[in-house]
Amino acid sequence: MSATAEIRARVHRLTVDDYRRMGALGILGPELRTELIDGEIMEMPPIGHPHAGTVKFIANRLKEAVGAAAIVAVQDPVWLDDHSEPLPDIALLRPRDDYYRTGHPGPADVLLLIEVADSSLHYDREVKLPRYARAGIPEVWLVDLGGRRLTVHRRPAPHGYADETSPDNLGLLPVPVPVGVPAMVDLTSLF
């Protein structure tokens, strides 16, 4: 190699297949909470009581509201693309007879994603939401526990969501379902 040759560093981004193999081989132990974002493994902080309780509360209320019209998944992977497979706190999914046993849901399967944020607010808002929008996820709710605020994000665009609202009334929130009468969820005691 000549003295004038340039050495270039190459960044290797993991694929979802790489990431899953690492999990299957035990490289990523079961005690680790991780997700793959843009080819990078992100370690997530432990879940505290307020976060865990809020996820349970919303998931149960959603299931009551949608019944068999959708599947409610809690902290399960959602495949966004070949380099991203996050673990949203709650995913409302199109019904499937196999309950996604044959593969993780992708963007076309997702009706709604919900992120509950305490210490993760910046990460959820600045990292995950833009990726959800880029993947075409139609609706995302961000629950800010510290700020006691729910924001609803709709109309995905390449750089984020074009529509962001913060509902005043948490008693009658419309929930997207694939068919039939629109569902409504009561989250009045959310905060």
Side-chain angles (χ1 to χ4, degrees), residues 11-27:
V11 174
H12 177 75
R13 292 187 321 152
L14 296 174
T15 66
V16 170
D17 288 340
D18 297 334
Y19 176 67
R20 289 179 186 166
R21 273 194 302 275
M22 291 172 75
L25 293 171
I27 295 168

Side-chain angles (χ1 to χ4, degrees), residues 45 51 115-129 142-149 151 153:
H51 184 280
E115 292 289 357
V116 175
D118 41 16
S119 62
S120 65
L121 180 62
H122 178 78
Y123 176 69
D124 289 339
R125 185 174 40 226
E126 304 301 323
V127 175
K128 291 176 86 171
L129 260 67
L142 181 59
V143 179
D144 175 3
L145 293 177
R148 302 175 56 83
R149 183 173 177 224
T151 53
H153 304 263

